[in-house]
Amino acid sequence: MTTKEEIIKKSPYKPKLVEVIDYHRETNDTFTIKLGWKLKHEPGQFVFCSLPGIGEAPISICSHSDNYVELNIREVGNMTRFLSKIKKGDKLLVRGPYGRAYPMDKFKSHNMIIIGGGSGVAPLKGSVEYISNNRGDFGEVSLFFGFRTPEDVLFRKRLDVWKDEFSMYINFDRVEGKTIYGGKQGFVTERVKEVVGDNKDAIVFICGPPIMIEKVAEILIDKGFDEKQIYISAERLMYCGIGKCGRCMIHGKYTCLDGAVFRYDELKDYKDD
Ligand SMILES: Cc1cc2nc3c(=O)[nH]c(=O)nc-3n(C[C@H](O)[C@H](O)[C@H](O)COP(=O)(O)OP(=O)(O)OC[C@H]3O[C@@H](n4cnc5c(N)ncnc54)[C@H](O)[C@@H]3O)c2cc1C
Ligand code: FES
């Protein structure tokens, strides 16, 4: 007979206890934690964080390092609010990594266009760090980030570096007073329309609210981009992360296994809600 200990030992859901080595408040409702977790992972993957008695949440890895994992979390409900109380030195239960990563090897020597809206900037941060760590492998890199207001800007220390390393375009839905990073008022979609040319070579990553993803993809396709040049991130409610519960299905695809990164043509007939 299999004992409870043996079942737990074999379980794919078994989490690992890791230390929180840094905690940084980004905005009113978001924070970034750095975990002392030497985890082999690729840009675009995610992990699950759990708090016993509270719940479990899938969170994208927003860094690219063999020595640590960073997670940027928005407080939206019970689990994420409890997570926000965590402190440097605390331990957190985690499992992963999960999901299909961006096939970064395929993009060598291509120009890269990275477009993020709001908390959608966080999952893209890991891929921009990857590009920065392997700068010689890529052509021109353009970053387009949209935030509600200058107070909602994430990762200011990184943006300070990236504004000199890449072409960076920031947009704000509203600017009252002084803008930052030369950010313009208006949706990021408008900036993409204004700045991006007919770039047949570029690979595009888009992450953000579904409506933003849809509009940006439409603009790019109108400009002559092929659907196969565009990669999007799809967020779905998830329980297991390993293709067992079926909670994350989109048109016969498991977001947890086949995504959360998809090439645009793989989901093109699907309209998000
Ligand atoms: C692959 C993946 C990667 C993610 N990466 C991040 C990340 O990097 N940072 C981050 O802050 N959040 C991320 N999320 C969302 C995060 O998992 C949820 O916000 C979290 O589980 C909510 O838990 P809660 O108990 O705090 O809120 P709940 O009380 O469960 O939900 C609060 C509100 O958020 C909505 N919500 C919950 N989960 C999701 C979801 N998966 N997609 C869309 N809406 C949801 C609910 O419908 C509800 O309106 C990711 C989700 C997925 C599937
Ligand atoms: S989250 Fe369970 S099948 Fe994808």
Side-chain angles (χ1 to χ4, degrees), residues 20-264:
V20 177
I21 57 174
D22 204 5
Y23 177 103
H24 173 69
R25 202 74 220 175
E26 297 277 351
T27 65
N28 257 351
D29 61 354
T30 60
F31 58 98
T32 300
I33 51 176
K34 187 174 188 175
L35 305 173
W37 187 12
K38 292 185 194 298
L39 178 72
K40 279 262 171 252
H41 63 275
E42 300 297 332
Q45 290 193 293
F46 62 92
V47 297
F48 275 85
C49 299
S50 52
L51 296 174
I54 307 292
E56 209 181 19
I59 303 290
S60 302
I61 298 172
C62 76
S63 53
H64 187 73
S65 168
D66 288 341
N67 297 320
Y68 59 84
V69 165
E70 281 181 324
L71 307 175
N72 173 262
I73 300 165
R74 182 175 298 276
E75 292 171 53
V76 294
N78 206 34
M79 174 65 188
T80 46
R81 276 186 206 121
F82 270 96
L83 265 176
S84 75
K85 310 261 183 301
I86 210 158
K87 297 183 302 300
K88 186 175 167 179
D90 285 350
K91 296 271 170 51
L92 179 64
L93 286 165
V94 287
R95 59 183 175 97
Y98 297 111
R100 189 169 59 152
Y102 292 105
M104 298 305 285
D105 275 349
K106 279 195 188 171
F107 307 147
K108 281 189 177 168
S109 83
H110 284 269
N111 294 335
M112 303 296 293
I113 301 176
I114 314 281
I115 305 167
S119 48
V121 172
L124 296 170
K125 176 172 166 278
S127 46
V128 182
E129 288 189 12
Y130 177 97
I131 293 169
S132 183
N133 294 343
N134 299 275
R135 188 66 192 89
D137 287 348
F138 299 92
E140 285 174 27
V141 179
S142 306
L143 310 179
F144 291 84
F145 295 148
F147 298 101
R148 272 175 304 192
T149 70
E151 284 71 48
D152 296 302
V153 168
L154 300 173
F155 313 126
R156 287 173 189 240
K157 277 191 187 157
R158 277 285 161 184
L159 297 194
D160 283 344
V161 176
W162 289 348
K163 72 178 177 355
D164 298 326
E165 192 177 1
F166 307 121
S167 300
M168 190 171 90
Y169 306 92
I170 304 280
N171 269 55
F172 299 112
D173 299 357
R174 279 195 330 274
V175 183
E176 280 148 22
K178 225 172 144 236
T179 189
I180 54 172
Y181 298 111
K184 287 191 176 179
Q185 181 154 347
F187 292 138
V188 68
T189 41
E190 291 162 27
R191 201 69 176 278
V192 169
K193 199 174 195 170
E194 181 191 316
V195 174
V196 175
D198 166 17
N199 196 333
K200 296 275 188 290
D201 171 61
I203 298 296
V204 186
F205 296 171
I206 317 173
C207 188
I211 183 74
M212 184 213 105
I213 296 181
E214 202 181 304
K215 293 272 177 243
V216 172
E218 271 172 28
I219 290 168
L220 294 172
I221 287 162
D222 278 353
K223 284 178 183 281
F225 279 70
D226 191 281
E227 288 165 349
K228 293 193 169 71
Q229 288 175 263
I230 302 171
Y231 288 76
I232 62 171
S233 302
E235 242 187 50
R236 274 286 164 278
L237 290 176
M238 286 185 189
Y239 294 143
C240 70
I242 55 172
K244 299 283 183 208
C245 72
R247 187 65 189 81
C248 67
M249 288 285 249
I250 304 177
H251 282 213
K253 290 184 193 294
Y254 291 100
T255 311
C256 64
L257 294 180
D258 304 316
V261 169
F262 290 95
R263 211 175 55 193
Y264 191 62

